[in-house]
Structure formats: structure tokens, C-alpha cells
């Protein structure tokens, strides 16, 4: 192995990663057991939920490896463009998304769907971290609080417009980040 390949994987907590993979395996087997169909008893049959889950697991592992390969400076250099792209997809899904169970929050690609709100959580976390770590950010200023809340609440409001209030509630958890950064405990109570 070259020096660069060693550095990509050397800082991974293999015990935690192993436990995570065991949980994924157990969840996958539970899906298989819960919706078992004798006509489709192959766990890799993608016409069944457990087969589709196999693809999702493989995709997630691929994304994890890609994130490990990407230089960490990328995430500190481009949080606001990533945020803007995610906000644009949240707006686009309102107009061009597919309605599922009364919620218009999915892009459908054949058998598979993509929910931009899930990527929005990642984008909000990056943008909020970048903003709060800026040199001129002062927690006690009203402008700082307003911008931080805008970063969190604008995507959450777009998600509410998609009639996906449960996912929007997850964004309220970013209140914990603001509390940890020095915002008043009143904001924490407001989050609850």
C-alpha cells in the first residue's frame, strides 16, 4: 500500500465501524424476516424490499468510501455552494417531485426515489459549522443569531411546504449545536 492509501484508512475507528456494519446486517436480516416471501426467497432479489435494501447498503458504503477519499478541505471550502444546491433541490422537489402518501418530497427514478431533505441535513450542518467558525462571528450579536437560524429554518420551511413535517422537525436538533456554541439556554428551550 502506498503512503496515501494508508492515510485514508488509518484513522478509522474499526471497532465502531464493525459494530455499525453488524447493526446494518441485523437490520437487513430483520427486513428479510419481516417481509419474507416464499416465491422470492433470495435475499438479493431486488424486486423485494430486502433486495432493494442490499442496493442501499452498497450505495451507502460506496458513498462512505468516496467521502474518505475526498480531501477534508473540500468540505470546508464549499459548504455554502453545497447548501445552495441542496436548497435549490428542495425548491425543485416542490414543483417537480412525486407525491407519495400526501407528501411531495421525492424525486422518482423508476423504482427508486431520492429525498433531497436527507441531503439537506448534511448541507445545513456544513453551512452552519462554516458560519459559526468564521473569525468575525460573535454569538452575542443579533445578526449572528438571525443568520444561524436562517441557515437552519429556511430548508426546514421548504420541507414543511412539501408536507413532510416529521423530517423538518429533525432540523430543530441543530438548536443543540447553537446552544453548544454559546447561544442562550432559552433557544434550547425554544427548540423543545
Amino acid at each position: 500500500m502506498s503512503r496515501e492509501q494508508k492515510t485514508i484508512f488509518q484513522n478509522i475507528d474499526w471497532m465502531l465501524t464493525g459494530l455499525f456494519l453488524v447493526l446494518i446486517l441485523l437490520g437487513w436480516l430483520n427486513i428479510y424476516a419481516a417481509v419474507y416471501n416464499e416465491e422470492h426467497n433470495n435475499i438479493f432479489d431486488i424486486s423485494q424490499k430486502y433486495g432493494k435494501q442490499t442496493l442501499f447498503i452498497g450505495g451507502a458504503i460506496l458513498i462512505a468510501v468516496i467521502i474518505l477519499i475526498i480531501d477534508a478541505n473540500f468540505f470546508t471550502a464549499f459548504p455554502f455552494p453545497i447548501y445552495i444546491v441542496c436548497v435549490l433541490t428542495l425548491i425543485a422537489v416542490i414543483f417537480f417531485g412525486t407525491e407519495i402518501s400526501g407528501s411531495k418530497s421525492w424525486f422518482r427514478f423508476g423504482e427508486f426515489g431520492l429525498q433531497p431533505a436527507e441531503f439537506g441535513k448534511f448541507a445545513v450542518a456544513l453551512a452552519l459549522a462554516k458560519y459559526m467558525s468564521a473569525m468575525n462571528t460573535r454569538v452575542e450579536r443579533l445578526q449572528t443569531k438571525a443568520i444561524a437560524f436562517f441557515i437552519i429554518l429556511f430548508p426546514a420551511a421548504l420541507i414543511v411546504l412539501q408536507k413532510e413535517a416529521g423530517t423538518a422537525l429533525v432540523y430543530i436538533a441543530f438548536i443543540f449545536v447553537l446552544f453548544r456554541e454559546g447561544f442562550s439556554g432559552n433557544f434550547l428551550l425554544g427548540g423543545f
Side-chain angles (χ1 to χ4, degrees):
M1 252 186 200
S2 71
R3 183 179 181 278
E4 292 166 358
Q5 289 173 329
K6 287 181 183 176
T7 57
I8 291 173
F9 297 105
Q10 76 181 8
N11 292 325
I12 293 176
D13 183 345
W14 289 107
M15 176 68 81
L16 187 62
T17 303
L19 289 172
F20 180 69
L21 291 173
V22 166
L23 286 174
I24 288 174
L25 177 66
L26 291 174
W28 182 37
L29 292 173
N30 278 321
I31 293 170
Y32 179 66
V35 295
Y36 179 75
N37 183 347
E38 285 194 29
E39 295 175 11
H40 302 277
N41 59 7
N42 184 352
I43 197 166
F44 299 106
D45 183 356
I46 63 169
S47 68
Q48 302 299 306
K49 291 184 183 216
Y50 41 82
K52 290 178 184 174
Q53 191 67 24
T54 308
L55 295 176
F56 298 142
I57 292 168
I61 291 171
L62 178 66
I63 290 170
V65 170
I66 290 170
I67 289 171
L68 283 172
I69 292 171
I70 294 174
D71 186 12
N73 293 328
F74 172 82
F75 297 109
T76 58
F78 297 106
F80 294 115
I82 292 170
Y83 178 83
I84 290 168
V85 167
C86 282
V87 165
L88 291 174
T89 60
L90 288 172
I91 293 169
V93 80
I94 294 171
F95 298 105
F96 307 111
T98 302
E99 187 169 327
I100 298 173
S101 301
S103 171
K104 196 170 186 181
S105 61
W106 290 83
F107 288 120
R108 296 294 298 175
F109 305 101
E111 289 286 318
F112 297 97
L114 181 72
Q115 190 176 23
E118 296 303 322
F119 296 100
K121 296 171 194 172
F122 169 73
V124 168
L126 282 178
L128 190 61
K130 181 69 171 182
Y131 176 68
M132 295 304 291
S133 66
M135 292 291 253
N136 59 351
T137 302
R138 302 280 181 259
V139 174
E140 62 277 353
R141 292 174 42 205
L142 181 61
Q143 179 184 4
T144 300
K145 293 173 184 170
I147 292 172
F149 281 114
F150 178 80
I151 290 171
I152 297 169
L153 296 178
F154 185 61
L158 291 173
I159 293 166
V160 168
L161 289 175
Q162 300 166 12
K163 298 179 182 170
E164 190 68 43
T167 303
L169 282 174
V170 174
Y171 283 73
I172 302 303
F174 285 108
I175 297 293
F176 292 114
V177 174
L178 298 179
F179 176 70
R180 196 235 170 254
E181 285 297 317
F183 279 42
S184 165
N186 294 333
F187 291 108
L188 187 62
L189 289 174
F192 281 115

